[in-house]
Amino acid sequence: MHARDESPRATRRGLARRSAVFAGAVMAAAPAGAMDVGAAWTSDFATVLDGGLREGVRAPGLLELSLDHAWPVRQRELALHLSAQHVYGGGFSEHWVGDLQTVSNVDADDGTRVLQAWVEVPLTDALALKVGRYDFNSEFDAIEAGALFLNSAQGIGTEIAQTGAVGPSIFPRTALGLRLQYDADGHGLWRAVALDVEADPDGEYTDTPFTGGTMLALEYEHAATTTTWKGGAWGFARTRAALESEEREPEYGVYGSVEHRLGERWSVYARLGLANDDVSRIGRYFGAGLVRHEGLLPGRDDAIGFALAHARNGDPYRAALRAEGVATDAAETALELTWRVPFGEHFALQPDLQYVIDPGTDPSLDDALVFILRVDVTL
């Protein structure tokens, strides 16, 4: 999950109207029967201990309600998923830390929104279609071991998260999507998606779906006994203004990751992503992490991990700012040490320490030392 800047008001209204209409249609069409309902509260008590923009405490968080239902149709199973979130207390990275990768993955613009509202339809035994409001990062560019960490870059690569007008349909703002997945029967999974997002923050858009510069992505996943490989490519159907010239250029990129299980208690992963830096600020991203499951407390099912996230400015971005007399650092690097401790099935605490080197790639900011205590309650 990764917070985005505010979008133009017309763009926000258009996305909200289309998503609300679809969510209502899905709920009306769902057949009667038992449904799985869930609720969760996540809050981060976050403080800048040193450096950054200013020292201080903030408590971003979210409340989430979810509903899942499946029913048989012609010897196959259709699935329905709905989730809505109320996000509050945002702005910790923007106003306290000054980092670009976002140290807390629940730090986002305040508001109540539908995150996902889709139906998955099995077309054949191997091919399935999802249609509806869709979180791109729920399947694409997702690393299981990376879910332990709080920094947003461990959830999705920064070079993807900060693209388009309002992002690639990820938390906190998602969009209508069409996702196909093909199970190659032991030879991996192929998935492709078309997302109703806007490519250009300065563009003019209507409420007509898939006319704002649709984002297209393709991913291949191969899971062996102890190792999972992923590779993907993405791009937008419309161009946007280049950073350093008067030309218009397409925004696109590629990424790859590997996650390996070392015995029963250790996981390690690495990820690399590249984007067209003629239009994207972040041209390269590298992330890696090491996780020990059942870490320090016997019988607690706790986990402890260390991760690195390195987002590098593209040369055109730095040159464009240099021409305006603005200096920049080459990259931002976030180091994270975290420890998640469950207390029963419904409550967990997670102390987290992050050291952000060159926050926001702003030379005027000192490196930031951030402590976060996450509280998770699930029902």
Side-chain angles (χ1 to χ4, degrees), residues 128-364:
L129 170 69
K130 274 184 185 177
V131 57
R133 192 172 181 119
Y134 177 74
D135 181 356
F136 175 79
N137 193 217
S138 64
E139 295 176 310
F140 286 78
D141 196 23
I143 299 174
E144 183 177 352
L148 172 68
F149 299 96
L150 306 193
N151 193 292
S152 294
Q154 300 302 331
I156 185 169
T158 310
E159 89 288 353
I160 299 180
Q162 300 193 8
T163 57
V166 291
S169 188
I170 57 175
F171 170 85
R173 291 187 178 85
T174 52
L176 179 64
L178 300 171
R179 190 277 276 153
L180 276 173
Q181 179 167 285
Y182 176 70
D183 187 342
D185 191 20
H187 298 284
L189 295 173
W190 288 93
R191 54 180 69 100
V193 70
L195 296 163
D196 180 27
V197 296
E198 282 76 35
D200 187 351
D202 300 318
E204 296 291 332
Y205 303 107
T206 69
D207 287 346
T208 304
F210 297 101
T211 59
T214 305
M215 181 181 177
L216 303 171
L218 177 69
E219 181 180 271
Y220 173 72
E221 175 183 345
H222 180 73
T225 304
T226 58
T227 306
T228 299
W229 301 84
K230 284 189 176 184
W234 55 272
F236 289 84
R238 285 177 59 173
T239 60
R240 60 185 293 177
L243 293 169
E244 199 184 3
S245 72
E246 300 298 323
E247 302 294 326
R248 295 189 65 84
E249 298 281 350
E251 192 168 22
Y252 60 86
V254 296
Y255 62 90
S257 66
V258 58
E259 181 177 4
H260 182 66
R261 191 72 182 242
L262 301 168
E264 295 183 356
R265 294 194 174 184
W266 291 93
S267 293
V268 61
Y269 67 89
R271 182 200 180 278
L272 177 66
L274 305 173
N276 176 18
D277 62 6
D278 286 334
V279 291
S280 297
R281 171 182 176 175
I282 304 301
R284 284 174 285 172
Y285 169 83
F286 175 76
L290 177 67
V291 175
R292 178 178 169 84
H293 311 276
E294 299 181 10
L296 301 179
L297 301 176
R300 279 286 184 193
D301 197 27
D302 61 322
I304 189 168
F306 176 78
L308 172 149
H310 178 81
R312 195 165 192 85
N313 285 327
D315 290 338
Y317 172 81
R318 300 191 72 195
L321 289 186
R322 191 181 307 116
E324 298 177 2
V326 179
T328 57
D329 292 317
E332 175 187 284
T333 302
L335 306 176
E336 180 175 2
L337 179 64
T338 197
W339 182 31
R340 179 178 174 83
V341 184
F343 295 87
E345 295 182 4
H346 305 291
F347 181 74
L349 294 176
Q350 185 168 353
D352 183 276
L353 188 66
Q354 296 186 45
Y355 187 70
V356 183
I357 302 169
D358 296 329
T361 68
D362 183 346
S364 68

Side-chain angles (χ1 to χ4, degrees), residues 5 21 194 197 250 374:
D5 294 335
V21 168
V197 296
R374 170 161 291 185

Side-chain angles (χ1 to χ4, degrees), residues 21-53:
V21 168
F22 183 83
V26 167
M27 294 182 71
M35 295 185 178
D36 293 329
V37 179
W41 172 59
T42 301
S43 184
D44 286 350
F45 298 91
T47 180
V48 177
L49 300 175
D50 190 45
L53 290 171

